[in-house]
Amino acid sequence: MTGCILAIETSCDDTCAAVVTVDGELLSNRIASQGLLHARYGGVVPEVASRRHLEVIDAVTADALEAAGITLADVDTVAVTRGPGLIGALLVGVSSAKALAAARGLPLVPVDHLHGHVVSATLGPDPIEPPYLCLVASGGHTFIGRVEDPAHYTVLGETLDDAAGEAFDKGARLLGLGYPGGPALDRLARTGDAQAFRFPRSAPAELDFSFSGLKTALLYRVRDLGEAEAERRRADLAASFQRAIVDALIARVRQAIVCERLERLAIGGGVAANSELRQAMGDLCDELGVRLWVPPPELCTDNAAMIGAAARFTPALPYPEYLDLDATARLA
Amino acid sequence: MNILGFDTSGPASAACVLRSDGKAFEHEPRPEALTAPPAHARELMPAIAHCLERARLAFADLDVIAVGVGPGAFTGLRIGVSSARALARARETELRTVSSPAALAAGAGEALSLPLIDAGRGEVFAALFEEGEGRWPPFAADPERVAARVRDEGLDPLATGNGAVRFRDVLEAAGIRVAASGSGTHVVRGLSICRLAAAEPATPPEAVLPDYLRLPDAKPR
Ligand SMILES: [Zn+2]
């Protein structure tokens, strides 16, 4: 096996390692999710996440190598997320990746986490080809990117406040669905009437998004209805709330497709697992004659395979140039 | 036996290669690193590579990797421990752990040593060593409480470490001696980590975790 990239991702609350080849073949993709660990805090606690990453990172990395049928001796390049994300969490992955690469004299590729989301559809047997548009929507980020060459992406529009996944989680919390609430809200919404309540579709300038007003609107609506009535109409509230988020995302993507005149679209990020969004995005693409790539859920949520994918298009730093590489919470 | 030892519990990255012929190649932390914000991610690996280079050794030539596991600043400890574990795994090198306050005490050159590592929130991680033997296991407390304990037991230790520098006024007011500012004894030395590691057993890499001494600062809802 030649051209194996070992990729590591620890930017938030999932400890991830994967092996991909330079040709874009996915050999393994391992994720140790911390979801339940943070549930009792009602959100990701950075110190708790960082400790957990350190506890499991070696096992996750070893597991990814084993599942790929290789050993460290077969790895040609190490790739790691350097940001954006939780700094303490990122540093576990960066330190581990640097030391692994250094001890074996291997090159290292520092990867922008968002670049990973943008190129995750380039993996596998049916890779997307540039130029294409990409909607990335997760708990941490929401933006539309344009990809001319997979080494780069241009952000055409992004959220000005909350990310779409954050809006889902906050909405779910207001409806008493616990944390993380996105998937639970998705399930509940299927049994509700999406026309029952009218929530605002905020449309800031250009191709940007804004979701913070939506959460406030839901808060007021729940308050106005009163506890008993809000509980009784929970499915309708969930369906209407979800419809507002999906509508906002679809409207912007429609606008971007028309403006940019591109015929290929990929979606990524945890919100891309939302069933209504997938359906609506499919309908939109059919209507506009655009081909849609929706990676499987394990390539949409945070994962290391996408970091390996981005590493294929990012210059590697030879040993010892990366020894002083630092993680960064925000990328310029 | 070629030993690589390092520590990231404090503000400065410490590293040293102790070669099998007994020669030490140590990265001396800059004194100003004591007061600057820590930069272990930028400093640790270059310091390690530099020690190896001077010792004319490669990672594959190492017999033991030793890491200071704190207590100390959480993020720094994780950088040190994740680096140590990955280095050990990458070359199947033996891994050993060393208590950071023990290493600080070893560098103090006093019979009775009081290593104090800044623990934030107005507290220090304190321990007491007599002739290299631990007398108080590490604990977190405000400097006043540490001083009271020293006085109650009628001791006269020398306090070192960034916690000692930070709370010099409190400690000296309580009659505790603090090593001179700018003294090299306030930082953990890589050479101390190497020397103390000689007496430590090998640990499986995945079992090596920092000695946090404190739970994460988060409350369940
Ligand atoms: Zn992400």
Side-chain angles (χ1 to χ4, degrees), chain A residues 68-177:
Chain A
I70 64 168
T71 69
L72 210 47
D74 303 310
V75 171
D76 299 285
T77 305
V78 178
V80 67
T81 306
R82 69 176 297 233
L86 303 170
I87 191 73
L90 287 163
L91 280 167
V92 173
V94 166
S95 303
S96 193
K98 276 163 59 175
L100 275 181
R104 301 209 63 91
L106 297 174
L108 183 89
V109 187
V111 173
D112 161 11
H113 176 87
L114 303 179
H115 187 200
H117 279 301
V118 167
V119 298
S120 62
T122 64
L123 286 173
D126 178 29
I128 194 169
E129 296 278 341
Y132 64 89
L133 276 178
C134 184
L135 169 72
V136 176
S138 74
H141 15 265
T142 299
F143 66 94
I144 296 176
R146 181 188 169 106
V147 179
E148 214 52 60
D149 157 357
H152 307 282
Y153 63 96
T154 312
V155 174
L156 303 174
E158 62 192 323
T159 184
L160 303 176
D161 39 58
D162 292 353
E166 201 178 349
F168 270 112
D169 285 342
K170 287 177 176 173
R173 190 180 303 164
L174 287 172
L175 295 175
L177 296 172

Side-chain angles (χ1 to χ4, degrees), chain A residues 9 11 113-114 117 136 138-141 269-270 300-303 306:
Chain A
E9 143 72 39
S11 67
H113 176 87
L114 303 179
H117 279 301
V136 176
S138 74
H141 15 265
C300 285
T301 53
D302 286 351
N303 66 87
M306 70 181 196

Side-chain angles (χ1 to χ4, degrees), chain A residues 40-42 45 47-48 50-51 54 58 61 72 91 95-96 98-100 102-104 173 319 323-326, chain B residues 41-42 45-46 49 59 74-75 78-79 82-83 85-87 89-91 209-210 212 214 216 218-221:
Chain A
R40 67 199 185 101
Y41 301 106
V45 180
E47 178 61 22
V48 172
S50 305
R51 289 186 182 197
L54 184 57
D58 287 2
T61 309
L72 210 47
L91 280 167
S95 303
S96 193
K98 276 163 59 175
L100 275 181
R104 301 209 63 91
R173 190 180 303 164
Y319 179 86
L323 291 181
D324 64 351
L325 177 76
D326 205 346
Chain B
R42 289 198 296 278
M45 286 303 296
F59 283 104
F74 301 157
T75 298
R78 277 190 289 269
I79 291 170
S82 52
S83 303
R85 278 170 32 173
L87 289 174
R89 268 193 333 125
R91 288 286 170 192
L209 288 171
Y212 293 112
R214 264 192 196 146
K219 302 233 182 323
R221 295 158 71 93

